[in-house]
Amino acid sequence: MNDRDHLKGLGEFIRTQRELANLSLRQLADLAKVSNPYLSQVERGLYKPSAEVLKQIAKALHLSAETFYHQAGLLDEDVRNEAADAVESSIKLDPRLTPEQKETLIRVYRGFVGVDR
Amino acid sequence: MNDRDHLKGLGEFIRTQRELANLSLRQLADLAKVSNPYLSQVERGLYKPSAEVLKQIAKALHLSAETFYHQAGLLDEDVRNEAADAVESSIKLDPRLTPEQKETLIRVYRGFVGVDR
DNA sequence: CCCATTTGCTTGGTAAACTTAGCATGCAGC
DNA sequence: GCTGCATGCTAAGTTTACCAAGCAAATGGG
């Protein structure tokens, strides 16, 4: 098991978030005040960004720094799979969703993770 | 105004905590798995430790990593829509989902709640 | 006193984070 | 066709986090 596997995960996570925000690599790099080649390398898992860079990226994407630290494995706690139930329960608790929409989302989610309840 | 001033604050903070715990520099260095010269330099504000080192130090001192990140100025911002974003962030953190699946789920979710970011 | 141990620090080096300049492709308008 | 601009990437360099070895001052026991 490569030590840098979780790094790659972090990079993919950043790239996904960037694309969800419809930002180009250069745009995000400017917002986060890092060079674009460096961001490129981070997203491909070649380097692990410092916490400050993570913080800037988080800010640029309007996400919490905690989210990124967690993804980067920088927050000590529990590698528990409570994350799985977190998706379903947060869906169930979201007041903006109708019951039908909740059901749809959970179905899609379970299809992805292969849960069979 | 020197850029390293807040760094010095962090170093002093670490040193204070270490002394409060009655640990020698070398002892804490061992616990945190860093070299003792390096810890010495960190405490005097010469270097800014990575988040991982901070995490190890926090653990060794039985303090929360958040405390240190905050002290290091790595955590300040953005405590906003915590509840409203619960669905999205839990999706993002779910290790069983591929980036593509996360993207799909979030798109569906945003479609439902009518978010436009 | 002497020796051992512990304290924090300096020096010199390596590896990795991060930058600047530039390359290649793709797409818009002319 | 070109031209210009945006995209992401590579190559080569600088900076800095971090380590191993070792040094000087203090402490304490014999």
Side-chain angles (χ1 to χ4, degrees):
Chain A
M1 197 177 314
N2 195 337
D3 187 25
R4 282 174 199 277
D5 284 349
H6 79 287
L7 251 188
K8 194 177 157 212
L10 175 63
E12 285 174 358
F13 175 74
I14 293 176
R15 178 156 289 190
T16 302
Q17 295 307 312
R18 175 172 66 78
E19 288 168 348
L20 279 172
N22 280 320
L23 290 172
S24 78
L25 201 148
R26 284 173 141 90
Q27 286 173 329
L28 179 57
D30 284 353
L31 287 172
K33 288 162 189 155
V34 296
S35 67
N36 68 79
Y38 176 59
L39 182 57
S40 169
Q41 286 158 332
V42 164
E43 289 189 349
R44 282 176 295 141
L46 299 181
Y47 295 124
K48 80 184 344 172
S50 71
E52 262 149 30
V53 170
L54 279 184
K55 175 188 155 193
Q56 303 278 27
I57 292 176
K59 189 191 276 183
L61 291 172
H62 304 102
L63 297 171
S64 80
E66 279 91 344
T67 303
F68 281 80
Y69 295 161
H70 189 154
Q71 183 72 25
L74 264 43
L75 291 177
D76 17 31
E77 95 304 335
D78 335 293
V79 191
R80 81 248 151 122
N81 12 6
E82 199 87 23
D85 290 336
V87 171
E88 292 198 14
S89 54
S90 62
I91 288 173
K92 288 173 188 161
L93 287 173
D94 195 316
R96 298 181 294 180
L97 295 169
T98 70
E100 292 77 19
Q101 289 172 336
K102 292 181 182 181
E103 201 171 332
T104 301
L105 272 172
I106 290 180
R107 282 229 173 86
V108 174
Y109 172 69
R110 288 187 180 171
F112 281 163
V113 299
V115 179
D116 176 31
R117 313 196 183 182
Chain B
M1 192 174 324
N2 196 335
D3 187 28
R4 280 164 203 274
D5 284 350
H6 80 284
L7 253 188
K8 192 177 159 209
L10 174 63
E12 286 173 356
F13 175 74
I14 294 177
R15 179 156 289 190
T16 302
Q17 294 305 315
R18 174 172 67 78
E19 287 168 349
L20 280 174
N22 280 321
L23 290 172
S24 78
L25 200 149
R26 283 174 141 89
Q27 286 172 328
L28 179 56
D30 284 352
L31 288 172
K33 288 160 191 157
V34 296
S35 68
N36 68 79
Y38 177 61
L39 182 57
S40 169
Q41 288 158 330
V42 164
E43 288 189 350
R44 283 175 294 142
L46 300 182
Y47 296 124
K48 70 183 358 167
S50 71
E52 267 142 33
V53 169
L54 280 183
K55 175 185 153 192
Q56 303 279 24
I57 293 176
K59 189 192 279 184
L61 291 173
H62 302 105
L63 296 172
S64 81
E66 281 87 347
T67 302
F68 282 79
Y69 294 163
H70 188 263
Q71 184 72 25
L74 267 53
L75 220 56
D76 18 30
E77 82 312 326
D78 222 42
V79 190
R80 14 151 255 159
N81 342 341
E82 204 153 325
D85 283 341
V87 172
E88 291 199 15
S89 50
S90 61
I91 287 172
K92 290 165 191 165
L93 289 172
D94 195 315
R96 299 187 293 177
L97 295 170
T98 70
E100 292 76 18
Q101 291 171 337
K102 291 179 183 181
E103 203 167 332
T104 301
L105 271 172
I106 288 178
R107 286 235 164 84
V108 173
Y109 172 69
R110 287 184 181 174
F112 283 165
V113 299
V115 180
D116 174 34
R117 313 195 179 181

